[in-house]
Amino acid sequence: MLNFFLLIVIYAGIYALMALGQNMITGYVGILSLCQAGFFAVGSYVTAILTVNFGWSFWATVPVAILLSAFLGVLIGLPTLRLKGDYLAIATLGFAEILRTVINNWDSLTNGPNGISRIPKAVIFGYTIKSKYAYIALIWVFVFIVWALFERIAKSRMGRALEAVREDEIAASSMGINVTKYKVWAFALGAAAAGLAGCLQALYIGSVMPGTYVFMVSIMALCMVVLGGMGNFAAVILGAFIIQFISYFPQMVGLSNIIPAQARQILFGLILVLMMIYRPQGILGRSKRKYKTTTGKEASK
Amino acid sequence: MSSIAEFFQHLVNGLTLGGIYALIALGYTMVYGILKFINFAHGDILMVGAYLGLFIFNFLRGNSAMGAWWFAAFIIAMLASMCICALLGMTIEKLAYKPLRKATRLAPLLSAIGVSFMLSNGAAWAWGTQSRKLDYPFDNTPINILGISIAPHQILILAVATIMMVILTLFVSKSRMGKAMRATSLDQSTAKLMGINSDQIISLTFGIGSALAACGGMLIALDIKVYATMGTMVGLKAFVAAVVGGIGNIGGAMLGGLMLGLLETFGIALLGIPTSYKDAIAFAVLIIVLLVKPEGIMGKVEREKV
Amino acid sequence: MSSLLETKSLTRAFGGVVAVNSVDFNVEKGLITGLIGPNGAGKTTLFNNITGLDVPSSGKVYYEGKDITGYPAHKICRLGIARTFQNIRLFKDLSVIDNVMIGLHFKNGKGSRLGLAIKSFIGLKGEQTVMYKRAMKWLDFFGMSHLADEPAGSLPYGYQRELEIARALATEPKLLFLDEPAAGMNPQETESLMETIRRIRDLGVTVVLIEHDMKLVMNICDNITVLNYGQKIAQGSASDIQKDPNVIEAYLGKDDEDDDDDDFDEDRE
């Protein structure tokens, strides 16, 4: 039981990173990207290849993974961000599929369908990260850093500009906002967060395989955002916990033989539909900007 | 084999594949034409259609020996699967999309992704994850015509796809309901004022689109294979076909489907693209079209009113 | 005479339809310029071509003597040209104050872009206070500071129109384009709008407005340009325009159109 609890905390952390990125893209700019699984894979493979084939330490691979994911995000973003919502969703999904095809077929680099195993453990100040508790600490430190960073960006003028783009692109551009630039930025940030999640996933599991980075991963990240509340980072983390809890519930209560693996995926689908119909703002709803200067007097008038 | 015969060989293969894409692309394009919404679950309806057709066919043919009855069983199975999928499509529309007509653009799309996920995983649950194939309803020894070898199932696919497209074209251009459909896609509010029941038309559009998808699914079952997650990739490609032709345009979807089928076949045969990257061709095409001519070959430019 | 903005034989064709046909339109500094014409005359299209939301088929746009033809909208805004929209385009889910603060988006002083971004990131609170105060000033200008925290989409119609103007003013434009600011307003609201437009002019902002309300146009515009079927048919003071036979034939001769809100989409092909 405790073991499952720890697993949930670990995976909630890894997926929370992906979902934080998804929230930047979908919650703030209103772009439906279905590519998080692709960037997740990029991060994982960067860590796997650099540590196993080139003997790098885990820590050195993290910035490479983040930058490469962000770069790919920009590369994918530039042609697709001109598209309207629905087109963009499909184009990004297409990119994720292409990435997976490439990983599956580029044997010399990725070892194809067999993947790469025996990824070395991370060592920090002479201490090897091995136990579940150590992983929880490591993963959640990253989650809190990214959360704080994204929260800050969202509250700053950039966040306001992103929201303006979401609300009305034409009006935003007429207010001096370079719409394309901000969309690409959001996309790059979202991709970078997913890439970081990928590093941690590779480190924790100790191996990477193309079968891990399927469409379902993107859907889970999306579900976390939709369930928690679009445009609210804290809510997204809550969403990550709920989704991971649902994922592990059958195993936790020992019903995994009775409840097939597909049941939880059907449930994720149902969550998307029901949330859209009955509570599109999510459990917690969008976070509102508050200004210190707005106190009693003006507000109560 | 002469190079001309080889060319025609690829042409036949490409048209067969393209005919299937075209049938499925029609569903995307018709729904988009009216609701300006991409039905993400369309590919999964196709998958359900393929399974249902396969089951009905196997049930009907029983233990009888191959013969005319097998072929009749195939046709009956196809029509039955089309009817059931039409109902399925209409039900999905009513439950998952209709409540979201007035919501933000993102809402129905997310809901559709949810439906798609439910259908493909539901199918994997109910029918397992191994792939199946439809037995040929006739002797499938390739026939040699002028040096081109054509398998009878390819002839059947081309025939069914052509018949379906002709029927759809006649329906849309000649029938009362078809005209109402076109009117609704041009201007929903005006069509409403003219006494057209737009809810009914939308429902009908989903029904027809889903029936065509089921038909396409059945043809895929004949040509390739059936598995629970087939809808994603086939659906994506058909969507690409719809975009290439000009989304919202029925003729464009047919043209786009055929073009994509030909591009995939010739891309592998003539350009030497490795087979494992076959699926990437469609997306490369999509990106290029969206960058160069985003409205597609036959689509019209949409401008946002300022 | 100093022209702040000029178009030279500006033409915009949509397929076969020429929405704006070789129009020379000029705006003099410090005045209120009116742009009138029957529905479908090409007024909004002309606005869109000047403000970068649309690109002319041919012809030029000069602003302070500089050729700005084909500049993207955000660049044009940064040069000091702001606008409002015929069919109100507020950021509806954001609060009133946030709407105005978006107008202040690029008003963050001088220096390198990255440096400013980092400064804004670190000094968030300080910067926010400054922006907040500046935005509040504009809300005060319209007497709506008590609504600062309301979602923009929940405001009554008249306030929404004013908020859109406030948002445009926050970009501190030299030139402000108003697309049918009085549409949907009752006579009292229109009256107060006229007063507001004069106050905006007194701030040193040059105002150009499209309007169907002839009373408003004739009252406050120093200079009026008339479009019909995409062509400029007259230009001059209110009294000149009222006497112009072309205008009378094309426009004023017809029935009173003041309350004709049912605009045809000028951009439809």
Side-chain angles (χ1 to χ4, degrees), chain B residues 274-306:
Chain B
T275 325
S276 48
Y277 285 97
K278 184 183 168 206
D279 292 343
I281 296 176
F283 295 112
V285 171
L286 177 70
I287 302 297
I288 294 168
V289 168
L290 289 176
L291 289 179
V292 178
K293 198 166 160 45
E295 70 277 13
I297 298 169
M298 294 172 74
K300 55 182 192 313
V301 188
E302 266 180 59
R303 318 186 77 263
E304 192 172 355
K305 190 191 167 186
V306 179

Side-chain angles (χ1 to χ4, degrees), chain C residues 30-33 141-142 165 169 176 178 181 190-209 214-222:
Chain C
L31 302 184
I32 297 175
T33 304
F141 186 84
F142 288 92
I165 301 175
L169 283 173
L176 175 64
L178 304 175
T190 307
E191 199 69 39
S192 96
L193 177 72
M194 285 203 276
E195 192 45 45
T196 307
I197 294 174
R198 287 201 189 95
R199 278 165 61 213
I200 293 170
R201 179 200 51 201
D202 296 342
L203 294 171
V205 179
T206 307
V207 178
V208 183
L209 56 97
M214 282 308 131
K215 193 169 145 246
L216 182 146
V217 172
M218 296 305 164
N219 253 313
I220 65 170
C221 291
D222 306 295

Side-chain angles (χ1 to χ4, degrees), chain A residues 59-134:
Chain A
W59 306 106
T61 69
V62 171
V64 178
I66 290 176
L67 288 177
L68 184 66
S69 302
F71 173 73
L72 281 175
V74 173
L75 209 65
I76 292 171
L78 280 177
T80 50
L81 288 174
R82 295 180 5 191
L83 308 174
K84 273 197 258 162
D86 322 23
Y87 284 85
L88 191 130
I90 303 234
T92 51
L93 171 54
F95 270 115
E97 288 296 316
I98 289 180
L99 267 174
R100 211 161 59 84
T101 312
V102 170
I103 289 174
N104 227 334
N105 289 295
W106 194 350
D107 288 356
S108 60
L109 189 71
T110 64
N111 201 21
N114 297 326
I116 300 168
S117 48
R118 281 198 287 278
I119 295 168
K121 300 268 166 251
V123 179
I124 185 161
F125 304 125
Y127 173 77
T128 308
I129 297 176
K130 270 199 309 245
S131 74
K132 285 208 168 60
Y133 293 102

Side-chain angles (χ1 to χ4, degrees), chain A residues 152 157 168 176 291 294, chain C residues 78 89 98 105 122 127 149:
Chain A
R152 189 83 169 172
R157 73 170 70 233
D168 189 330
Y291 301 105
T294 326
Chain C
R78 285 164 188 230
R89 304 188 78 120
D98 271 331
H105 178 73
I122 297 167
E127 187 202 60
D149 293 324

